[in-house]
Amino acid sequence: MRYRTIGTDAATRREVSVLSLGAMLFGTVTDEDTSYAILDRYVEAGGTFVDTSDNYAFWTNGGQGGESEELLGRWRRSRGVGDEVLIATKLGARPLAPGTSYTDNPEGLSAKVIREAAERSRERLGLDRLPLLYAHIEDRTVTLRETVEGFAELVAEGTVGLLGASNHRAWRVERARAIAAAAGLPGYEVLQYHRSYLPRRPDLPSELDRDGDVGWVGPDLASYLRAEPQLTLVAYSPLIRGGYVRPERLGEGYDLPSTPARLAALEAVAAETGATVNQVVLAWLMGGDVPSIPLVGASSVAQLEESLAAVDLDLTAEQRARLDTAG
């Protein structure tokens, strides 16, 4: 395994593995025994960065959210796992009532919700301190200042370490960070968005916001990350839910003129390296001009093994150039 440091403050920064494991469906779609086996293998391979949320997975099996956190808490206790594994979680997008969703009835990012939701996450995970806590989605019903101060209070109390944002517009991330900096408060240092080798069509709305490209790394966010190298990007859905293996799953979001050429470049580099296409995508993300920590899901140990092998795949400068310029 390879590692990198996230965060800049000595009190909260952490060294984490360059491949993160998503636990979204653990405890619901992925049963407990399989979830434990995947987690055990990930840690055995040196993995130290597990991702969840307080709303995972409210949309499955009659769930209400929190099932993934609860499973991770049970796994931690059964294995004696401590602070060596950073478990990141999110708040703000848990539905307030069964049968509703984060698009129409989210808990939001008020100071009250931040405090109460973080406490519930700590209880489910069995942690005294959440080492990384994200604002999961935007909340326009409260001021950014209230959200910034709500998170900062928990950091000051020692119940939260690093702060992050997911699925926010780049300008709102920058505004929140500026508010925090001006007040001498901790701000967002880790950003979690969808990013993959294939670009997404910018003209299609996001399920998170019907008016814009919220949720994935577009040109504005990529430019922002290049200008702020101290920020860490965690790239979710890097393999587009199996779309590189089964292109019919890509859907209209990736129907761009450049897609065939980029898929052909991937196949060529995979053949040259003896790697799978998925492994080339993950290696490209880890070493790109905007270095990313891929956040991979797995429903079996075999799927995880494929992703783990990407950590040791070193693409040459020529291969990267070909991938970058394809299409």
Side-chain angles (χ1 to χ4, degrees):
M1 184 57 70
R2 296 175 180 178
Y3 303 89
R4 60 176 288 186
T5 299
I6 61 174
T8 58
D9 186 88
T12 56
R13 67 176 175 238
R14 291 285 301 269
E15 185 178 75
V16 297
S17 52
V18 295
L19 189 74
S20 180
L21 175 64
M24 177 188 287
L25 300 179
F26 290 1
T28 50
V29 174
T30 306
D31 64 64
E32 190 141 329
D33 287 346
T34 304
S35 300
Y36 278 30
I38 294 168
L39 287 160
D40 289 346
R41 175 60 189 130
Y42 176 70
V43 172
E44 180 185 49
T48 63
F49 195 6
V50 178
D51 183 86
T52 186
S53 172
D54 73 347
N55 75 338
Y56 294 164
F58 75 86
W59 59 91
T60 64
N61 302 340
Q64 296 184 17
E67 293 84 3
S68 172
E69 289 181 331
E70 289 169 353
L71 180 136
L72 289 171
R74 293 192 297 273
W75 171 74
R76 289 185 67 255
R77 288 189 291 272
S78 71
R79 302 302 195 255
V81 171
D83 292 341
E84 68 275 13
V85 175
L86 186 156
I87 297 182
T89 194
K90 314 175 199 68
L91 56 79
R94 184 172 180 168
L96 289 173
T100 61
S101 83
Y102 62 83
T103 59
D104 57 20
N105 194 29
E107 62 189 355
L109 295 173
S110 69
K112 181 176 185 291
V113 165
I114 290 169
R115 177 170 294 279
E116 293 176 353
E119 174 63 23
R120 289 192 294 268
S121 288
R122 289 196 299 117
E123 290 175 357
R124 286 189 288 263
L125 291 165
L127 292 168
D128 294 328
R129 181 170 85 157
L130 300 172
L132 170 56
L133 180 61
Y134 293 95
H136 201 164
I137 59 174
E138 293 182 358
D139 180 4
R140 299 296 185 96
T141 69
V142 299
T143 66
L144 278 172
R145 181 171 298 279
E146 178 177 347
T147 297
V148 167
E149 291 176 351
F151 278 116
E153 285 181 4
L154 301 187
V155 175
E157 293 168 7
T159 57
V160 171
L162 289 165
L163 299 175
S166 181
N167 305 315
H168 286 54
R169 287 172 175 80
W171 72 264
R172 285 182 64 82
V173 172
E174 173 57 19
R175 180 77 59 80
R177 294 181 67 234
I179 290 170
L185 300 174
Y188 300 139
E189 295 191 80
V190 185
L191 305 184
Q192 185 179 131
Y193 291 78
H194 168 56
R195 188 174 189 235
S196 189
Y197 173 65
L198 289 180
R200 197 183 191 283
R201 281 177 56 182
D203 60 314
L204 293 182
S206 164
E207 64 180 20
L208 294 159
D209 189 309
R210 306 311 297 176
D211 297 323
D213 59 349
V214 180
W216 64 85
V217 178
D220 283 352
L221 186 56
S223 176
Y224 181 58
L225 287 162
R226 292 187 190 99
E228 301 287 342
Q230 75 276 19
L231 295 175
T232 299
L233 174 64
V234 176
Y236 70 73
S237 297
L239 303 178
I240 317 178
R241 299 173 181 174
Y244 290 103
V245 177
R246 298 176 62 181
E248 68 273 11
R249 291 185 176 182
L250 292 174
E252 65 174 350
Y254 301 90
D255 184 13
L256 286 165
S258 62
T259 295
R262 289 179 80 82
L263 290 175
L266 276 179
E267 292 281 0
V269 172
E272 292 168 9
T273 58
T276 67
V277 166
N278 284 344
Q279 288 166 347
V280 174
V281 170
L282 296 176
W284 179 84
L285 284 168
M286 285 185 269
D289 65 327
V290 179
S292 309
I293 297 178
L295 172 56
V296 297
S299 59
S300 68
V301 173
Q303 284 185 351
L304 175 64
E305 293 287 3
E306 180 183 14
S307 295
L308 288 170
V311 172
D312 295 320
L313 176 59
D314 293 316
L315 301 176
T316 67
E318 187 275 333
Q319 288 167 336
R320 284 194 174 278
R322 251 191 298 150
L323 291 168
D324 291 343
T325 58

